[in-house]
Amino acid sequence: MNAPASPDSPASASPCAASPYLMHTYARRPVSFSRGLGARLWDTQGVEYLDAISGVAVTNLGHAHPEIAAAIADQAGQLLHTSNLFRIEWQERLGQRLCALSGMKRAFFCNSGAEANEAALKLARLHAHARGVAQPQVLVMENSFHGRTLATLAATGNPAVQRGFEPLMPGFVRAPYDDIAAVRELAERTPGIVALLVEPVQGEGGVHAASAAYLRALRQLCDERDWLLMIDEVQTGMGRTGAWFGYQHAGIAPDVVTLAKGLGNGFPIGACLARGRAAGLFSPGQHASTFGGNPLACRVGCTVLDVMERERTPERAAALGQRLLAGLRETLHGHPDVVAIRGLGLMAGIELNRRCGELVGRALDEQRLLITVTRDSTVRLLPPLICDEGQIDDIVARVARLLVPRAAVSGGGRAGGPDPRPPS
Ligand SMILES: *Cc1c(COP(=O)(O)O)cnc(C)c1O
C-alpha cells in the first residue's frame, strides 16, 4: 500500500506513480483499481473505495453492470466492426432512439466528446458557407470546456488548456457565461457569427449551471439571427443533471446536441445530433469516422438506454441530486473554508476559499473516496446515477470528514463519524 500523502505537502510533491513508457499527460494517483461493482471499486491491494466521480461522468450506471457486460460479450461474439461503408443496424436503432429522446432528427456517431464537438463545429462552418459567410465565427463562453483537439481547445475558455498549442484555430468569439446582455452586445458588434456553443452546466469550469432564462434567451437570439444553437451535453447529457439532457430543464430545442461520456457507460462512443437545416448539412465525403458507430459501441449505447428507460434513471438522478446537495448544504453549513455549494442533478461542486488539489489524494487515502478538484478550488462530485440513498449519504459524510478544519482534527478528532480507514 502506498503511504498516504502528507497532509501538508503541496499537490506537486505528492507521490505520483509514472510509467516511463507513457507520455506525461496526467498526474496520476498511485492507485490502480482492478474491480468494480456499482458505485464501489477495489484497488489491486483489495481495499474498497466509494466512487463519487464515475470515471468523470462516464460510468453513470455503475461499474460491471451485468446487462451491459452481457451485451458487450454477446456482440463481441457476433460482430465488432464492418465500417460505415455499409448499413449498421445497431447504429440506426441508436440514432432513432437518441433522436426520439432529444427531439433531434439525425445523428452522426464518433468515439469521444471532442470528436462530437468537432462534428458540431464543422456543421457550423457548413451552415456559414451555405449562408455566404466567408469568415464565420462561433460564439463560445468563458470558463467553458469542449475538449483537447485543436478546434475544441480553441473553443475551450481556459488558457491552461490552450497554452503551448498556439496558434489557436481562429473563428471563435467569447462571452461571459450565463450573461445574455454580453451575448447580445457581442452579437451587435461582431460580424460573421453563425453559431453558439454552450454547456448547460459548466462541469470542468467549476460546476456552474446556466439559468433556464439564459438558455431560452439564447434560443431566441439564435432564431432572430439564424445562428445554430449547439449544446455541449458531453458531460451533462444521459441523465446526469436529472433530465435526459440538460437543455430540457429550460424547455428549449437546440439545433445541435453533442454527447459522449455516459452514452457508453465506459465504452467509447460519441454522438452529434441535429435537427432542422443542421441535420441535412453533411453530404457523403464531408465527414467520417472509421470506428464511429460500430455495432459494438451502438449496441452498448442501446443497452444503456434500455436500462435508463426501464429504471427511469434521469428521475432518480434528480432525486438523488437533491439529496446530495441538501446533505452537503446541511453538513457543511457555516464551514469556514466553503465559499459555495452548487449543483444540478448529480453534478455537485463545493467551492473552497483556497486551492485544494491535495484533497484528491487525501480523499483516496483517508476516506477511500474518489473525487476530483476542478478550477483549483472546487471539489467536484459526479456519483454514479445508480447510487442508493445510503451511498449518497456516505459520500456526504466522507466529504464532510475530509473537509473538517485541521484544527478540529488535531484538537480531538471531531471528524463527524467513524474513521473509514481499514486497520493496517
Ligand atoms: C469531457 C468533455 C468533453 C471532451 O470529451 P472527450 O471524450 O474527453 O473528448 C467535451 N465537452 C465537455 C462538456 C466535457 O465535459
Side-chain angles (χ1 to χ4, degrees):
M1 199 47 225
N2 303 291
S6 155
D8 302 318
S9 64
S12 58
S14 62
C16 280
S19 161
Y21 298 105
L22 299 177
M23 292 194 192
H24 293 169
T25 48
Y26 293 92
R28 297 172 196 270
R29 303 303 316 170
V31 178
S32 179
F33 300 101
S34 53
R35 197 162 60 87
L37 191 64
R40 295 182 296 163
L41 282 165
W42 288 266
D43 71 13
T44 47
Q45 314 292 309
V47 177
E48 183 180 329
Y49 297 77
L50 185 56
D51 186 356
I53 58 172
S54 310
V56 197
V58 170
T59 52
N60 287 356
L61 302 181
H63 300 286
H65 193 288
E67 210 168 317
I68 295 166
I72 291 172
D74 188 62
Q75 190 60 40
Q78 287 181 36
L79 190 65
L80 292 180
H81 178 87
T82 53
S83 90
N84 287 296
L85 301 175
F86 308 98
R87 290 183 69 162
I88 300 172
E89 268 183 42
W90 285 108
Q91 186 183 124
E92 294 179 14
R93 249 177 260 179
L94 183 59
Q96 191 239 317
R97 289 177 71 176
L98 287 174
C99 284
L101 288 165
S102 65
M104 298 296 112
K105 286 289 176 283
R106 284 183 185 163
F108 171 81
F109 288 101
C110 51
N111 313 286
S112 68
E115 279 178 86
N117 285 333
E118 288 275 348
L121 293 168
K122 285 180 75 170
L123 287 177
R125 291 279 174 96
L126 289 180
H127 174 64
H129 299 315
R131 288 178 45 192
V133 177
Q135 298 291 324
Q137 304 283 338
V138 174
L139 202 161
V140 291
M141 303 305 157
E142 288 174 7
N143 212 33
S144 61
F145 184 79
H146 299 296
R148 300 288 195 151
T149 61
L150 283 170
T152 58
L153 77 82
T156 291
N158 180 353
V161 169
Q162 299 172 336
R163 203 169 298 129
F165 301 106
E166 301 84 357
L168 300 182
M169 194 187 99
F172 294 105
V173 289
R174 204 172 295 282
Y177 188 59
D178 204 16
D179 181 344
I180 191 63
V183 173
R184 287 191 188 283
E185 199 258 331
L186 205 56
E188 286 304 322
R189 66 182 161 85
T190 314
I193 298 178
V194 293
L196 194 152
L197 178 64
V198 63
E199 299 154 272
V201 182
Q202 291 185 328
E204 304 299 312
V207 192
H208 295 273
S211 71
Y214 171 71
L215 293 176
R216 284 196 285 267
L218 291 182
R219 175 68 275 176
Q220 196 191 337
L221 187 66
C222 287
D223 287 340
E224 287 165 13
R225 299 201 169 240
D226 193 19
W227 298 353
L228 297 180
L229 178 58
M230 312 199 297
I231 307 275
D232 182 340
E233 293 271 357
V234 169
Q235 185 162 154
T236 49
M238 303 307 293
R240 175 56 57 186
T241 67
W244 279 97
F245 306 103
Y247 63 81
Q248 291 172 333
H249 293 288
I252 58 163
D255 300 296
V256 177
V257 175
T258 56
L259 296 176
K261 294 199 164 103
L263 181 54
N265 206 52
F267 195 90
I269 180 171
C272 176
L273 313 176
R275 73 177 176 101
R277 235 176 328 152
L281 285 169
F282 280 140
S283 52
Q286 283 190 310
H287 198 46
S289 168
T290 298
F291 293 142
N294 75 36
L296 180 58
C298 291
R299 177 148 175 205
V300 172
C302 284
T303 309
V304 166
L305 294 183
D306 290 343
V307 174
M308 290 185 66
E309 284 175 350
R310 191 180 63 231
E311 298 181 359
R312 297 172 168 275
T313 305
E315 284 169 49
R316 182 193 175 88
L320 290 174
Q322 281 176 10
R323 188 180 183 97
L324 177 65
L325 276 180
L328 290 171
R329 290 198 170 115
E330 191 185 315
T331 317
L332 298 174
H333 180 76
H335 192 292
D337 300 347
V338 175
V339 173
I341 297 174
R342 296 183 288 266
L344 185 65
L346 278 175
M347 290 177 88
I350 306 158
E351 185 177 339
L352 302 187
N353 59 5
R354 56 182 164 91
R355 298 170 74 91
C356 60
E358 110 292 343
L359 288 176
V360 174
R362 281 189 43 218
L364 276 173
D365 296 337
E366 300 170 15
Q367 302 297 331
R368 307 300 184 206
L369 180 70
L370 279 72
I371 62 166
T372 66
V373 166
T374 185
R375 286 291 164 130
D376 296 331
S377 60
T378 299
V379 173
R380 184 166 52 143
L381 304 175
L382 299 159
L385 312 185
I386 49 75
C387 272
D388 59 34
E389 294 181 340
Q391 286 169 327
I392 293 292
D393 297 347
D394 199 356
I395 290 169
V396 171
R398 293 190 202 200
V399 168
R401 287 198 292 269
L402 180 69
L403 294 180
V404 165
R406 289 262 144 221
V409 174
S410 52
R414 275 199 63 250
D419 188 337
R421 232 177 304 186
S424 48

